Amino acid sequence: MAYRIPELPAYAAAVLDTLESAGFEAWVVGGWVRDALLGSASHDVDVCTAAPWSESERVLRAAGFAVHRTGAAHGTVTVVVDGRPIEVTTYRVDGTYSDARHPDAVRFVSNVREDLARRDFTINAMAYHPERGLLDAFGGAGDLAAGLVRAVGDPRARFDEDALRVLRAVRFAARYGFDVEEATHAALTEFAPRLARIAQERIGQELTGIFATGRMAWALARERAVMVCAIPELSPLVDFDQNSPYHAFDAYEHTIRVVSGAECVTAGCAGQALRWAVLLHDIAKPETYSEDVSGRGHFFGHPELGARKAAAIMRRMAIPAEIVREACALVSLHDYPMTVQTRSLRRTILRCEELCPGRGEALAFELLNLKRADALGKALPCRSYCSELDAVSTALRRELRAAAPLCVRDLAVNGSDVIRERGLEPGPDVGMVLEGLLAAVVEDGIPNTRDDLMELLRFGG
Ligand code: ATP
Ligand code: MG
C-alpha cells in the first residue's frame, strides 16, 4: 500500500549508521514507525539491533556517544545523541511480565522478524530503515489505514501471555480513535478478568495513558468490561439506579458523562488530579445509598468515603502522591456548597488549602471544574447550574484579587477609572497612579475593592 514516511531525524540515523558500520543490523521500531506512518515524526525513537547490548555499548561509545545501561538485563542501553536519548535493544523475545514494566526474563534472538512477532499489536510491530524501507510482516500499515488495533498472531494467546495488553489495546484505540479488530476484541473481553493478576503499577500507568488521550469517557463506554476489570470498584456503579430527581442516568453512565464533561469544561486539557477525581467521585455511592420515606435515594457521606476509596485505588496503582492528594481532596469536596458570597468563597479556599497546603487557590478552581462536569452529567434541569458556577468562578477571582493583588492588573480598578476620576490624559501618569494604588493596598492595608479604591481616587492624595 502507498505510504510516506517522514525523514528519520539525523540523530537517530547516526545511531543506525554506527551500529550497521560495525556489522550489526539495526532498525527503528515501534512507536516512531507507527506515528511516522500516521504523518507525525514526533515520537521518541526506539532502535532494535542484532548487536548484543554490550556490543551496542562498545560501538556507540567508540563513536563518541554517551551510553547508559538502562536495562541491560533486557538487552537495552540508552544512547544520547545531541541531547536526545534513544533506546537501543537487542532482538529478543519476552518471557512473562509478572510485575514491573519489563518482562521477567528475555531470550535474545538473531532475527528482527522474531522480535517483531513478540510485539503486541500489528501497528506496533513494524520496523523501518531509511535504505531498506518498511518491514511490515503483520499488516500494520493496512491496519493503521483501516483504523484497527489488531493483535499480532492469535489474540487469545497474546492476551494469555500478558493481560496488560488488554488495557494497552484500549489505550491505543482511544489515542487514535481506532476500533479494536473483531477477534482481538472478543479476546479482549474474554481476558479482561486476567487484569486482576497484573501488577497494579502497570495498570496505573496504562490508565494514566488513557487519561492522556482525553478519551477516557469513550474507553469507559465502549470497553466497559475491560475498564471494570482494571478498576473493580467501578463495577457496583454499573446499572446502579440513583432514584433521585437530580439524576437521569445510572451511576456508571453518570460517571462517563462527568468524565467527558471534565474534558469539555477544560477544552481537553484537564489536569491529572481532576481526571482521576471525575472518574472516582461517586465511587462510594452504592455503599452509602439510603432511601427516605418517599423512596428517594440519598448518599450521605459518599464524598468522604469516596475520597478514602479513591486514595486506596490510586495508591495501590502507584499514582504520584501529589496527584492522589489533590484528586482525593476534590472527591471529598465535590458536593461542598459554593456560592458567590464572600464567606463561602473564603471558606472554600481555606478548606482547599487545608487539604492541599500551598495549592488552595488552584484547587478551588479545579473544584469548580469538577462541579461543572458533575452538573453536565446530571438530569437536564441541573445542567444550568454550570452558569451559576461561572458566577462563582468570577466571584472567586475577584475575592482572590481583593485578598492579594500582585500587580496593577490585579487591582479592582483600571486605567480608565484613573483617567476618568483624575481627569488625566492616557500616558505614564496613569500608570503611576495605579502603582500608588497598588502600594496603598499592599503597604497600607486598603482593601482591594472597587468602592475603596474609587474613594481613594476621588478623595485620596
Ligand atoms: P507510546 O507512545 O505509548 O510510548 P510505544 O509504541 O512507544 O507507544 P511502549 O509502551 O513505549 O509503546 O512500547 C514500545 C514498543 O514495545 C511497542 O510499540 C510494542 O512494540 C512493544 N511493547 C511494549 N509493551 C508490550 C507488551 N506488553 N507486549 C508486547 N509488546 C509490547
Ligand atoms: Mg514508548
Side-chain angles (χ1 to χ4, degrees):
M1 66 167 298
Y3 53 80
R4 221 194 112 258
I5 293 191
E7 199 175 338
L8 189 65
Y11 63 90
V15 171
L16 291 186
D17 277 353
T18 305
L19 289 164
E20 298 222 328
S21 304
F24 299 110
E25 186 185 71
W27 297 82
V28 174
V29 280
W32 189 89
V33 184
R34 180 191 66 222
D35 286 2
L37 281 167
L38 288 172
S40 140
S42 58
H43 200 281
D44 48 335
V45 179
D46 294 323
V47 165
C48 76
T49 177
W53 70 263
S54 52
E55 290 293 297
S56 302
E57 182 186 60
R58 187 179 62 76
V59 301
L60 290 165
R61 278 210 181 130
F65 302 127
V67 180
H68 306 280
R69 294 182 185 176
T70 42
H74 310 103
T76 302
V77 295
T78 301
V79 54
V80 184
V81 185
D82 296 340
R84 293 167 187 269
I86 297 185
E87 288 199 350
V88 177
T89 304
T90 308
Y91 297 155
R92 67 172 208 218
V93 290
D94 294 341
T96 52
Y97 290 71
S98 64
D99 55 351
R101 196 78 185 86
H102 297 291
D104 297 336
V106 299
R107 184 164 59 79
F108 296 115
V109 294
S110 57
N111 185 329
V112 66
R113 280 169 195 270
E114 273 188 81
D115 182 291
L116 295 176
R118 59 108 180 157
R119 293 171 185 271
D120 45 10
F121 307 111
T122 60
I123 57 172
N124 290 344
M126 291 177 279
Y128 173 74
H129 185 280
E131 277 127 43
R132 296 190 294 273
L134 185 72
L135 178 56
D136 178 18
F138 307 101
D143 285 336
L144 270 185
L148 287 177
V149 175
R150 180 197 309 269
V152 172
D154 173 10
R156 298 184 70 252
R158 305 314 308 283
F159 294 136
D160 191 21
E161 280 166 14
D162 178 14
L164 189 73
R165 291 171 187 157
V166 161
L167 213 43
R168 287 175 59 85
V170 175
R171 171 161 69 86
F172 286 110
R175 188 194 292 177
Y176 299 114
F178 283 8
D179 285 325
V180 180
E181 173 275 330
E182 210 178 307
T184 304
H185 194 266
L188 202 74
T189 313
E190 180 184 345
F191 282 85
R194 291 277 190 92
L195 285 170
R197 300 188 199 168
I198 295 292
Q200 287 290 316
E201 183 180 353
R202 294 180 80 203
I203 293 188
Q205 284 166 345
E206 289 304 325
L207 292 175
T208 299
I210 295 174
F211 274 130
T213 69
R215 301 185 73 229
M216 177 59 93
W218 174 88
L220 291 166
R222 182 69 161 265
E223 301 296 349
R224 189 174 84 189
V226 172
M227 300 311 287
V228 300
C229 289
I231 309 177
E233 288 86 346
L234 289 176
S235 167
L237 303 186
V238 177
D239 294 332
F240 185 84
D241 185 345
Q242 309 200 54
N243 266 325
S244 154
Y246 300 124
H247 286 284
F249 310 103
D250 72 60
Y252 187 81
E253 176 68 27
H254 166 69
T255 297
I256 294 174
R257 284 166 185 262
V258 180
V259 168
S260 146
E263 299 302 328
C264 286
V265 301
T266 60
C269 293
Q272 289 206 53
L274 178 63
R275 283 174 163 163
W276 280 100
V278 284
L279 177 65
L280 301 176
H281 77 288
D282 274 350
I283 201 90
K285 268 197 166 171
E287 275 159 88
T288 53
Y289 183 75
S290 63
E291 274 177 19
D292 62 21
V293 282
S294 69
R296 189 172 136 184
H298 297 278
F299 309 92
F300 298 113
H302 84 275
E304 296 76 14
L305 181 61
R308 288 200 294 280
K309 293 188 73 170
I313 293 167
M314 295 175 75
R315 283 197 193 115
R316 78 171 183 242
M317 293 183 183
I319 303 303
E322 66 275 13
I323 295 172
V324 177
R325 194 181 312 120
E326 285 194 25
C328 294
L330 290 171
V331 172
S332 74
L333 294 177
H334 80 266
D335 277 349
Y336 191 81
M338 273 179 93
T339 70
V340 293
Q341 306 300 322
T342 304
R343 267 183 60 194
S344 164
L345 297 170
R346 290 199 176 153
R347 213 185 289 136
T348 308
I349 299 167
L350 217 65
R351 197 76 195 92
C352 289
E353 187 64 29
E354 275 165 20
L355 292 171
C356 294
R359 297 273 304 147
E361 292 181 13
L363 198 67
F365 285 105
E366 283 303 65
L367 183 57
L368 283 169
N369 280 333
L370 172 56
K371 284 172 168 291
R372 285 187 181 100
D374 200 7
L376 289 174
K378 291 187 180 173
L380 210 54
C382 300
R383 294 184 209 166
S384 58
Y385 182 45
C386 278
S387 44
E388 283 175 45
L389 290 169
D390 287 343
V392 176
S393 181
T394 308
L396 184 62
R397 268 175 229 286
R398 196 183 312 122
E399 177 60 27
L400 289 169
R401 273 204 304 272
L406 298 172
C407 60
V408 290
R409 276 202 313 280
D410 291 339
L411 290 170
V413 293
N414 59 25
S416 321
D417 299 319
V418 174
I419 290 167
R420 204 173 48 247
E421 293 302 325
R422 289 282 168 97
L424 293 173
E425 293 294 319
D429 288 350
V430 177
M432 278 174 62
V433 173
L434 286 170
E435 289 291 348
L437 290 176
L438 182 65
V441 171
V442 175
E443 311 292 340
D444 306 328
I446 304 288
N448 183 22
T449 66
R450 192 165 169 79
D451 286 351
D452 284 290
L453 296 185
M454 288 303 274
E455 193 171 339
L456 206 60
L457 274 179
R458 279 182 204 126
F459 309 112

